[in-house]
Amino acid sequence: MERIEIYWDDLTEAKQKEILEFLGDNGNYDVIPIATVEYDDCSLATPLNVDLIATYEELYGIPEDECITEYFADYGGFVTKMGIDDTDIRPVLDKALEAIGLTAEELHSREREFMYRGNIRAEMQSHIDGLDMTM
């Protein structure tokens, strides 16, 4: 988990003045953080990865109860199912990358080409014949 710490000197002069007027001092926020924001450095649930996984699940006939993606009509696209996190995504993403014959770096370097699932489907379809379909 990554974190960003916000200190007194990170604030604008106007915000520092507002805090001084409200609290009377700076609360030692020049040496301890005013706030800490924690975040995951990167999620595997990017739109491109989700579309790749959804295409893999569809072409390989993965049973619905084993799929980690689902179609969400309000978005007009696929999303990960509730409760799915990177530990669930990684093994399926690795299988989907193998199925399309690309590394993650190669896939993302061709992101514009794979903007539409039809292009992902066509590329993956071209690799299916040489793969073991019992994955």
Side-chain angles (χ1 to χ4, degrees):
M1 175 108 14
E2 299 289 325
R3 74 173 33 162
I4 297 172
E5 293 180 336
I6 301 170
Y7 291 88
W8 181 259
D9 290 338
D10 295 326
L11 303 176
T12 63
E13 285 185 40
K15 192 52 68 177
Q16 288 176 352
K17 182 179 177 185
E18 184 180 337
I19 291 171
L20 286 173
E21 288 173 2
F22 184 74
L23 297 178
D25 67 19
N26 77 2
N28 289 328
Y29 294 132
D30 52 337
V31 291
I32 61 170
I34 292 171
T36 301
V37 179
E38 293 185 346
Y39 63 95
D40 288 329
D41 60 351
C42 179
S43 173
L44 293 176
T46 65
L48 179 58
N49 286 348
V50 171
D51 282 347
L52 176 68
I53 291 168
T55 304
Y56 164 79
E57 291 172 339
E58 180 181 78
L59 287 178
Y60 281 74
I62 306 299
E64 177 64 32
D65 62 330
E66 294 177 25
C67 289
I68 65 169
T69 66
E70 62 187 349
Y71 186 76
F72 191 66
D74 288 351
Y75 290 159
F78 283 82
V79 297
T80 56
K81 291 180 178 178
M82 292 294 291
I84 297 296
D85 62 22
D86 283 357
T87 59
D88 303 308
I89 294 171
R90 173 51 64 197
V92 182
L93 178 59
D94 289 344
K95 290 177 184 178
L97 286 165
E98 182 179 353
I100 200 169
L102 298 171
T103 66
E105 294 79 20
E106 291 168 335
L107 177 73
H108 288 278
S109 73
R110 296 170 60 184
E111 187 167 3
R112 292 185 66 100
E113 178 183 345
F114 295 124
M115 181 182 301
Y116 302 104
R117 279 191 67 230
N119 293 353
I120 296 171
R121 182 183 182 81
E123 185 76 18
M124 191 176 290
Q125 189 73 49
S126 73
H127 289 84
I128 283 181
D129 294 335
L131 291 178
D132 178 6
M133 294 297 285
T134 61
M135 295 172 64

